[in-house]
Amino acid sequence: MEIEELENTVERCREGDEDAWSTLVNTTLRPIYRLCASYAPSAAEAEELTQEVYFKLWENLHRYNTGSNFMAWAWRVAKNLIIDSYRRARREREAAWLDPEILDRLPGSDNPHEQAERRQRLGLIGKTLRQLDEDLASLVLMRDFAGMSYQEIAAALDLPLGTVKSRLNRARMELATGVRRRLQIRAVPPATGSAEGLIS
């Protein structure tokens, strides 16, 4: 949907047009869901979080300044709600990061062996992400898992584009370093009769 058409749809929503709201949701659902799925540990929670985001958008639609880029505003509203939820639940996410249902909805190979390797890599990345600073982890999730553009992230976080790129680069470097360390630890066989070297 073109920007002008999207703005007109938003205006119709604010006037109480239910069909316009359905159109708005259908138009923006894919990117919003992907953002939610990048933070949620299960498909069910991703869907619930997506519903909460749209409820928040509807509730605050009167605060949107017409013509100021609806998607940028929607990203900010969604980001605030999602990150608050992510922070509250972060300590409860140790058992699982991305469940099979979410992985099945993300682009990937149909080859079972490649899917198994991908799940293993994502699980390792997920464990490492939880050790990163929350702001840096958020950038990786928004860019590499939710598929947001640099411009969308900058708008959502209210940061200069250059800052987003430099911080994301730093986040990726720290993530890569953490993953390499975990792989090295896995490669070291445990000593006989000892628990050292075991990875849960």
Side-chain angles (χ1 to χ4, degrees):
M1 182 181 289
E2 297 294 331
I3 294 177
E4 184 176 350
E5 187 179 355
L6 183 59
E7 292 293 328
N8 290 335
T9 302
V10 172
E11 277 306 298
R12 287 164 49 207
C13 288
R14 293 168 72 161
E15 293 169 1
D17 187 330
E18 293 184 6
D19 290 337
W21 175 249
S22 296
T23 300
L24 185 66
V25 171
N26 291 333
T27 301
T28 59
L29 182 59
R30 182 184 176 103
I32 294 294
Y33 175 80
R34 289 192 66 180
L35 178 62
C36 293
S38 68
Y39 283 87
S42 71
E45 288 187 47
E47 290 173 1
E48 183 177 341
L49 196 51
T50 301
Q51 290 177 356
E52 289 182 25
V53 167
Y54 278 102
F55 178 77
K56 199 74 170 177
L57 289 174
W58 174 259
E59 193 177 44
N60 291 278
L61 206 56
H62 64 283
R63 297 184 178 180
Y64 171 65
N65 295 321
T66 304
S68 61
N69 190 332
F70 175 77
M71 280 308 299
W73 177 79
W75 282 126
R76 286 194 294 272
V77 172
K79 181 267 301 184
N80 289 335
L81 188 150
I82 291 168
I83 289 181
D84 284 347
S85 173
Y86 174 75
R87 286 172 177 167
R88 287 196 305 269
R90 193 173 187 187
R91 292 182 180 178
E92 300 172 6
R93 298 179 189 274
E94 296 302 320
W97 183 56
L98 287 177
D99 78 354
E101 288 184 54
I102 285 182
L103 292 177
D104 290 341
R105 299 183 190 192
L106 298 176
S109 170
D110 292 330
N111 184 296
H113 178 68
E114 290 181 4
Q115 285 182 347
E117 288 188 345
R118 183 165 179 258
R119 291 173 196 269
Q120 186 176 28
R121 286 197 305 272
L122 283 170
L124 190 59
I125 291 170
K127 289 180 180 179
T128 309
L129 265 178
R130 286 194 290 269
Q131 304 304 313
L132 290 187
D133 176 85
E134 287 183 6
D135 291 338
L136 295 180
S138 295
L139 287 170
V140 174
L141 289 170
M142 295 170 83
R143 173 63 181 165
D144 297 325
F145 290 89
M148 294 171 65
S149 69
Y150 291 112
Q151 290 80 4
E152 289 170 335
I153 296 173
L157 299 179
D158 195 22
L159 291 172
L161 188 60
T163 301
V164 169
K165 290 182 177 180
S166 63
R167 288 185 183 177
L168 181 60
N169 184 57
R170 176 187 163 196
R172 285 170 171 167
M173 289 179 65
E174 290 192 15
L175 179 61
T177 298
V179 169
R180 280 197 297 271
R181 286 174 181 167
R182 288 180 178 275
L183 287 172
Q184 288 171 354
I185 292 172
R186 283 188 173 188
V188 177
T192 305
S194 171
E196 293 182 6
L198 291 176
I199 304 298
S200 58

